[in-house]
Amino acid sequence: MPDLTEPAPWWKTAVVYQIYPRSFADADGDGIGDLEGVRGRLDHLAWLGVDAIWLSPFYPSPMHDFGYDVADFCDVDPLFGTLEGFDRIVAEADERGIRVIVDLVPNHTSHEHPWFVASRSSRDDPKRDWYVWRDGGGPDEPPNNWVGAFIDGGRAWTWDEQTGQWYLHQFLPQQPDLNWANPEVREAMHGVMRFWLDRGVAGFRIDVVHCIGRDQSFPDDEPPWVGIPHCAINEHPSSHAYIREMRRMVEGYDGDRVLIGETALPGTHWVAPYYGEGDELHLAFNFAATHAPWDAERWRHRIVRLQEELDPLGAWPTWVLSNHDVPRHRTRYGGAEARARAAAVALLTQRGTPFLYAGEELGLEDAVVPPERVVDPGGRDGCRAPIPWEPTPGHGWGPEPWLPFPPDAAARSAEAQRGDPTSVLHLYRRLLAARKASPALRLGTLELLDVPDGLVAWRRRHGDDVRTTVLNQSEQTVAVALAGTVEVASDGEGEGQPFEGQVGPDTAVLLRP
Ligand code: NOJ
């Protein structure tokens, strides 16, 4: 039974909204989103009711991985704005009760980062050991069989002609891996964290944090992992020690600053250890739901697995359906608006901190990107399409946005949907308000209910406060013996009325007693 008197840290009860700055809002009309664009839409986010925003990288970068290749961790790329502009966002978000989380990319830098430029300049450079350099068997034989991401089965090592060694990169060759075994690197990265904490950020979403430690004997990957990107399975115990150091550092700050790890690992079982004994990550992304199809058995299984793995640790779950790396969930579930709506009810009534990806509140699908407009080496352009703000042809963007708009952009634009109380946008707003108003939804226990096939149902409880969610992922209307008042319905039907005991296909309802 949760302690009702204990105030929970903000990040347990928050709904976090991810902004991919390139795709969010374009204030200067160059077709690429920017920080002023973010600032200009803070009112939209306050109206929607989110508690925090997480900004994907806006740091100086040659953009080989669209900002996840950072050339300076402590500045803003001119494409996106200025540090002063960032400070204004923090201040103006704060006025609206919204916290700002930034992305920390500790595993690698850009190959243009001055640290790497120095490191590759000579074997004797003081920064040589800040990255991972190995001899291998000479220019034709890399040190081991590790494979890097986004390079089509290609190796995670690049030969450097000038100094005659290989350097490690678990992602693109333009993203050399830092050597966290070197204490100077850890200290430098803590300095980066302090830089942003001192500017008032509420915490960090930490890119592939499970990757930062690695076996110093650099063994070959074994079957069945040979040939898949090493970052997908790399989880050396030393990462945990480095995370504990970060945790101790942020705990020196007031205000419950949060560490959220992008633990992109094969399952919940792999993710759980990153909470440590309450001394590592506060929150770890559990991406299992982004891989689960629209199927009641699989969703039920996801909820059970979270309970089995996290509850014994006292670890607080996270829920996420979409982000800048995977096709949007509406697209994955086949494109129907009904499913996107039902998924919203399911996501926002789970136990754990939900993460929304900008545009899901508009029910967006991925853009169809013709081959000549493909820009991402990882095939992720579709989910990064610009957010349509207005129903006008330009949708509030400069004349040539960096990617095409998603389907039905005019009808799904924020402005069009704000004027329509039956829209997906209003559904998200009602769900966020319902969550905010209910201790059960924010902090309560979760009990799975016994319901007919095709349905998943769960009851949340905190003291006297109770809420029940019923999700129908089948193609038929299903009767269910549950009573209550419909607080939110994914199709908007019957809200405020007694529940009639039937749930339509691809529909979800939130009930209160
Ligand atoms: C995970 C990020 O989410 C992804 O966008 C990026 O490409 C890789 N990490 C490398 O930084």
Side-chain angles (χ1 to χ4, degrees):
M1 191 62 198
D3 177 357
L4 305 185
T5 57
E6 182 77 13
W10 67 269
W11 45 263
K12 273 194 172 179
T13 56
V15 174
V16 183
Y17 182 96
Q18 181 195 355
I19 292 177
Y20 193 70
R22 272 187 101 81
S23 307
F24 189 65
D26 175 18
D28 64 6
D30 67 353
I32 295 177
D34 45 51
L35 293 185
E36 276 301 284
V38 173
R39 194 170 70 86
R41 300 293 169 179
L42 288 174
D43 280 337
H44 167 77
L45 300 176
W47 175 86
L48 181 60
V50 303
D51 304 288
I53 55 175
W54 143 36
L55 295 168
S56 280
F58 48 79
Y59 315 115
S61 165
M63 305 285 171
H64 291 280
D65 190 14
F66 293 105
Y68 281 95
D69 48 328
V70 181
D72 180 351
F73 288 111
C74 298
D75 206 347
V76 174
D77 194 290
L79 192 63
F80 295 127
T82 60
L83 266 179
E84 294 66 43
F86 174 81
D87 291 342
R88 277 199 293 277
I89 290 182
V90 174
E92 293 184 23
D94 183 59
E95 284 163 16
R96 291 162 176 79
I98 296 174
R99 292 177 162 86
V100 178
I101 295 165
V102 294
D103 220 301
L104 180 74
V105 188
N107 179 69
H108 44 268
T109 67
S110 161
H111 66 316
E112 292 185 14
H113 195 294
W115 298 344
F116 187 68
V117 173
S119 183
R120 87 185 307 178
S121 68
S122 105
R123 288 195 185 203
D124 303 325
D125 188 89
K127 292 227 166 34
R128 183 67 169 181
D129 185 54
W130 282 39
Y131 292 81
V132 182
W133 293 96
R134 288 289 177 282
D135 293 331
D140 298 322
E141 195 188 329
N144 63 23
N145 70 354
W146 295 359
V147 158
F150 314 139
I151 39 183
D152 262 349
R155 55 199 172 197
W157 298 92
T158 288
W159 177 255
D160 180 58
E161 209 49 69
Q162 189 186 319
T163 56
Q165 280 191 311
W166 299 87
Y167 68 86
L168 176 68
H169 51 86
Q170 293 180 72
F171 296 89
L172 295 172
Q174 295 88 352
Q175 293 169 294
D177 275 28
L178 283 162
N179 176 20
W180 275 70
N182 183 326
E184 289 173 13
V185 168
R186 305 205 291 276
E187 194 40 49
M189 209 43 91
H190 289 185
V192 170
M193 294 171 81
R194 283 193 212 98
F195 177 86
W196 294 104
L197 290 166
D198 291 340
R199 294 193 108 83
V201 305
F204 302 95
R205 173 272 191 190
I206 314 179
D207 195 63
V208 290
V209 70
H210 59 286
C211 291
I212 59 179
R214 51 191 80 87
D215 187 332
Q216 294 300 309
S217 69
F218 293 88
D220 276 346
D221 283 334
E222 302 278 353
W225 306 113
V226 180
I228 68 154
H230 185 70
C231 56
I233 51 149
N234 176 28
E235 49 140 18
H236 189 257
S238 56
S239 293
H240 295 277
Y242 306 149
I243 295 169
R244 282 194 293 273
E245 284 179 1
M246 292 188 205
R247 172 76 175 246
R248 280 198 294 276
M249 197 274 284
V250 296
E251 281 182 350
Y253 282 80
D254 60 358
D256 286 326
R257 316 291 173 107
V258 66
L259 299 181
I260 307 161
E262 193 219 10
T263 39
L265 284 159
T268 311
H269 175 71
W270 296 54
V271 167
Y274 287 87
Y275 289 87
E277 294 174 6
D279 56 357
E280 295 189 29
L281 299 173
H282 300 92
L283 296 173
F285 272 118
N286 179 41
F287 291 116
T290 65
H291 305 300
W294 188 249
D295 175 89
E297 260 323 291
R298 298 288 293 277
W299 272 63
R300 206 184 156 78
H301 180 66
R302 294 281 36 113
I303 295 170
V304 170
R305 293 294 297 126
L306 263 185
Q307 291 180 323
E308 287 172 350
E309 294 289 347
L310 298 193
D311 287 2
L313 304 175
W316 188 246
T318 61
W319 279 88
V320 57
L321 297 181
S322 289
N323 64 30
H324 65 294
D325 287 330
V326 291
R328 287 182 176 277
H329 60 269
R330 175 163 181 180
T331 299
R332 296 201 309 274
Y333 300 153
E337 181 174 309
R339 287 190 180 175
R341 286 171 170 268
V345 177
L347 172 68
L348 288 165
T349 62
Q350 287 295 344
R351 179 168 183 269
T353 301
F355 287 77
L356 306 181
Y357 177 48
E360 76 171 79
E361 80 277 21
L362 304 175
L364 297 185
E365 291 172 86
D366 279 17
V368 177
V369 182
E372 68 279 7
R373 293 199 64 181
V374 166
V375 288
D376 175 44
R380 300 161 293 182
D381 292 327
C383 63
R384 298 175 177 180
I387 304 293
W389 291 101
E390 295 164 12
T392 54
H395 304 307
W397 285 71
E400 281 179 55
W402 71 293
L403 282 171
F405 285 101
D408 289 337
R412 292 178 191 165
S413 67
E415 192 180 309
Q417 294 202 41
R418 249 178 102 152
D420 173 7
T422 69
S423 64
V424 180
L425 177 61
H426 276 268
L427 170 66
Y428 269 82
R429 186 167 185 251
R430 292 200 300 284
L431 284 165
L432 285 163
R435 195 176 169 97
K436 201 155 277 179
S438 164
L441 289 180
R442 291 199 315 274
L443 280 172
T445 53
L446 185 147
E447 173 199 0
L448 276 161
L449 305 178
D450 199 11
V451 287
D453 287 352
L455 301 188
V456 198
W458 54 94
R459 179 162 295 144
R460 307 285 314 277
R461 193 186 289 275
H462 192 74
D464 293 341
D465 191 42
V466 180
R467 292 290 184 282
T468 303
T469 301
V470 190
L471 166 67
N472 182 356
Q473 293 181 302
S474 79
E475 286 168 16
Q476 289 87 40
T477 296
V478 181
V480 59
L482 288 168
T485 298
V486 178
E487 183 166 10
V488 181
S490 62
D491 58 6
E493 295 294 321
E495 290 182 1
Q497 308 292 316
F499 177 56
E500 289 179 351
Q502 307 251 325
V503 196
D506 292 336
T507 301
V509 288
L510 172 67
L511 308 178
R512 59 177 146 77

